[in-house]
Amino acid sequence: MSRSTLLAWQVGVAAALLAIWHIGSSVSIFGIYFMPKFFFSTPADVLGRVWKMFATGIVWKHLWITLTETALAFVIGSVTGAGVGFWFARKPKLAAIFDPFLKAANSLPRVVLAPIFMLWFGLGIWSKVALGVTLVFFIVFFNVYQGLRETSPVVLANARMLGMNDRQLMRHVYWPSTLTWVFSSLHASVGFALVGAVVGEYLGAAAGLGYLIHEAEGVFDVTGVFAGMIVLALFVIAIDWAVTSIENRLLVWRPQPHQQS
Amino acid sequence: MPHPPATADPAVSLARVTVAFGAGAARYVAVEAADLSVAPGEFVAIVGPTGCGKSTLLNVVAGLLKPARGRACVQGADVSGVMAPCGYLFQQDALMPWKTARDNVAVALEPKGVARAEAISRAQAWLTKVGLAAFGDRYPHQLSGGQRKRISLAQMLIRDPRILLMDEPFGPLDAQTRALMGDLLLDLWSADRKAVLFVTHDLEEAIALADRVVVMSAGPAARIVAQHTIDLPRPREINEIRLDPKFHTIQRAIWNDLREEVLKTYQAQAGGAA
Ligand SMILES: Nc1ncnc2c1ncn2[C@@H]1O[C@H](COP(=O)(O)OP(=O)(O)OP(=O)(O)O)[C@@H](O)[C@H]1O
Ligand SMILES: [Mg+2]
């Protein structure tokens, strides 16, 4: 499928969904609305609200807060996850001791931690960052830990035969392969950083996209809820696009089966 | 030709080296009591049926594998861990996938303390020697198997090690490039007579290159069954030396030793599969 036909199909699907929504919420059949306004709002109202949010500029502050929380959770979670993963990969005994604790911690649904983090870190951004970090940490940790243990023994042996000392091995073998595994979990970890931030805001905050949605729900403002969700979706698409372009730049050396060279 | 060795010690010597993998019931003795000595400046080729333990022997010399019994020495000193005088060209892909071809070659000079700018220019010169001058910016996955092997060759040789361990370095090359690379290797080797341990499946290649061809028996518990001195004149040119009548006499003699072992391996594996 060519790029333009693909785009045409995507626009078509979006238009069809909007049309169903519009008809369901504004055309009555024997006095009954298939999608009552009270529960579903209307596409025109929602898009109008989104437009208003950007036009008046109130949304920027919330976007900025959510972006900050996401970025902090991502950076802190990735650095600690990669650090611990790296350390454990090189110290198998340590890894064996901590293995059950890490598995237990990872199997805990993170939402239950949100109230505790709010007690510890307050209602500001740091409780949201903490929630995001608990999600990001494990993704990066497991990726780096597993990835490093599977580092090609031949590449490593070859580097040693070239006479590299520990510091040089670190720089030319361990570090690049750690980065590879951090990057390969980039999409997932950025996504979870965002989930942590929004869920945290939703459960208690004074700003952010999650807070906007929660506020609107509190007063049964369905238009506001949908508008918040659409802004959130746009935000996610923008971040995902940024991550993809960073990834393409950093992992040029990686074989890409779908790309002809 | 007077080439006084630096020491009287052989470059490589293996004495009754036995290598085993695993333990208990799963214990597999790959090589049994192998004796082998390579003089300084000598070119020794190892041939033997697949799976007999050729790579295993090279790993022992390189210090990557500890023998269960026996003694391995490099330049008179016991092998303990990876040793500076050896360069090793692995049978498998061993380039760092995250570095370009040129960086892969240049990085070999870093442990020697060569400045990066100089390392890069020397790496470029080596890429030219192996016929890949235009491929310096490619990553390993963008190169063919044979191109990767040649990059590995440059990576090993740029360090100028005294002892070369080469495990089927020309395996994935076509016959013509193979002869070209063989001539290049002989050129480099005759310039400063390194000791070479060269593993190959190709008996003709072994005879054309080496001073001595070592034949290993089929595994398990493979042994060194025969050693043939190749007294063909040097300097040699691979495509020429093949036409020498003496070449065929030697080839027939070694093939007699080898055929039995290859058949044994074949029967053992066919029996194992049935
Ligand atoms: N790590 C290992 N664990 C168990 N067995 C091994 C291991 N490495 C090698 N072997 C066995 O030891 C034997 C010798 O292996 P080796 O790689 O040295 O063979 P080779 O002569 O190099 O073969 P080829 O010509 O196919 O490369 C084989 O039978 C192989 O199955
Ligand atoms: Mg082998």
Side-chain angles (χ1 to χ4, degrees):
Chain A
M1 211 174 349
S2 80
R3 238 188 131 87
S4 51
T5 32
L6 183 67
L7 196 68
W9 272 101
Q10 287 166 339
V11 170
V13 170
L17 288 174
L18 282 176
I20 292 170
W21 186 7
H22 177 74
I23 292 166
S25 58
S26 57
V27 177
S28 71
I29 301 164
F30 305 118
I32 296 169
Y33 287 96
F34 170 53
M35 295 168 86
K37 251 188 204 145
F38 182 77
F39 296 114
F40 291 94
S41 189
T42 67
D45 284 354
V46 170
L47 293 181
R49 183 71 73 87
V50 171
W51 175 252
K52 218 174 92 194
M53 284 163 85
F54 281 98
T56 57
I58 49 162
V59 78
W60 295 115
K61 179 185 116 191
H62 298 287
L63 272 178
W64 175 248
I65 295 280
T66 304
L67 182 65
T68 312
E69 290 162 354
T70 304
L72 283 171
F74 169 72
V75 170
I76 297 172
S78 295
V79 169
T80 52
V84 176
F86 185 86
W87 190 34
F88 277 21
R90 306 216 58 196
K91 301 256 187 287
K93 276 184 202 153
L94 204 67
I97 294 172
F98 280 95
D99 183 63
F101 299 102
L102 282 164
K103 290 222 171 93
N106 187 39
S107 61
L108 195 71
R110 261 22 85 73
V111 179
V112 304
L113 292 175
I116 299 179
F117 285 152
M118 276 170 209
L119 273 178
W120 291 351
F121 302 110
L123 287 177
I125 64 167
W126 291 105
S127 54
K128 286 81 194 169
V129 172
L131 196 59
V133 166
T134 61
L135 291 162
V136 173
F137 172 87
F138 286 99
I139 295 170
V140 176
F141 166 77
F142 284 119
N143 242 299
V144 168
Y145 178 60
Q146 203 57 34
L148 274 184
R149 289 203 313 174
E150 283 162 20
T151 300
S152 160
V154 183
V155 171
L156 193 60
N158 186 46
R160 286 173 55 210
M161 289 305 302
L162 295 178
M164 290 192 188
N165 58 26
D166 276 347
R167 203 177 51 79
Q168 287 157 342
L169 283 181
M170 186 69 90
R171 178 156 160 231
H172 295 295
V173 180
Y174 291 117
W175 177 241
S177 57
T178 306
L179 275 192
T180 310
W181 292 104
V182 172
F183 290 141
S184 73
S185 54
L186 204 59
H187 277 280
S189 51
V190 167
F192 275 106
L194 184 66
V195 167
V198 173
V199 169
E201 288 164 0
Y202 187 85
L203 293 177
L209 290 178
Y211 163 79
L212 272 189
I213 295 173
H214 186 63
E215 281 299 276
E217 271 177 5
V219 295
F220 298 106
D221 174 12
V222 178
T223 309
V225 174
F226 278 109
M229 279 166 29
I230 285 180
V231 173
L232 186 58
L234 292 175
F235 183 63
V236 171
I237 290 171
I239 285 192
D240 200 68
W241 175 81
V243 167
T244 305
S245 59
I246 291 173
E247 202 175 43
N248 285 344
R249 186 159 305 182
L250 290 173
L251 294 179
V252 273
W253 60 267
R254 211 171 49 170
Q256 278 167 332
H258 52 272
Q259 171 205 305
Q260 302 136 358
S261 51
Chain B
M1 228 188 301
H3 260 289
T7 56
D9 294 313
V12 175
S13 84
L14 301 178
R16 325 261 343 129
V17 164
T18 299
V19 188
F21 295 105
R27 186 178 152 94
Y28 180 85
V29 178
V31 179
E32 177 94 44
D35 284 309
L36 180 65
S37 170
V38 182
E42 194 186 13
F43 197 129
V44 173
I46 304 179
V47 295
T50 177
C52 69
K54 305 182 292 295
S55 303
T56 303
L57 269 193
L58 287 200
N59 284 337
V60 168
V61 176
L64 296 169
L65 198 60
K66 253 181 93 70
R69 251 172 294 131
R71 193 160 169 227
C73 294
V74 165
Q75 294 185 335
D78 276 298
V79 172
S80 62
V82 167
M83 310 279 277
C86 295
Y88 193 167
L89 201 158
F90 288 81
Q91 186 173 13
Q92 308 94 321
D93 272 334
L95 294 172
M96 288 163 248
W98 41 80
K99 286 188 189 295
T100 59
R102 190 182 299 107
D103 282 343
N104 259 296
V105 179
V107 81
L109 288 175
E110 195 181 300
K112 299 204 139 187
V114 177
R116 176 147 171 91
E118 199 205 324
I120 292 284
S121 75
R122 278 165 66 182
Q124 187 58 40
W126 268 103
L127 290 181
T128 310
K129 278 195 203 172
V130 296
L132 292 172
F135 293 81
D137 291 318
R138 300 269 193 114
Y139 287 92
H141 79 93
Q142 297 167 322
L143 296 167
S144 76
Q147 290 168 335
R148 285 198 288 268
K149 268 276 135 66
R150 284 185 279 161
I151 299 291
S152 294
L153 183 70
Q155 187 191 51
M156 173 180 74
L157 291 173
I158 196 171
R159 290 174 56 236
D160 196 25
R162 289 308 306 158
I163 298 168
L164 304 183
L165 310 172
M166 305 172 82
D167 201 343
E168 290 182 37
F170 308 145
L173 302 182
D174 60 277
Q176 213 41 50
T177 318
R178 218 178 157 107
L180 226 61
M181 287 291 110
D183 286 334
L184 172 70
L185 180 62
L186 283 184
D187 256 7
L188 294 166
W189 174 75
S190 58
D192 69 336
R193 293 287 166 131
K194 300 167 189 302
V196 182
L197 251 183
F198 187 99
V199 168
T200 176
H201 274 142
D202 182 347
L203 184 52
E204 283 195 25
E205 186 176 66
I207 299 168
L209 291 171
D211 293 323
R212 185 149 53 96
V213 174
V214 172
V215 181
M216 285 183 76
S217 74
R223 296 165 167 277
I224 289 174
V225 285
Q227 307 209 19
H228 296 258
T229 304
I230 313 297
D231 48 359
L232 294 171
R234 289 195 191 267
R236 300 176 191 166
E237 198 164 310
I238 300 210
N239 281 330
E240 296 291 312
I241 202 85
R242 283 196 180 140
L243 307 175
D244 196 308
K246 215 164 160 193
F247 186 96
H248 293 285
T249 324
I250 299 170
Q251 192 178 10
R252 205 164 304 129
I254 302 178
W255 181 236
N256 269 337
D257 292 337
L258 198 53
R259 183 176 42 212
E260 241 169 82
E261 297 307 328
V262 172
L263 277 177
K264 251 190 250 167
T265 313
Y266 181 77
Q267 277 155 3
Q269 286 176 356

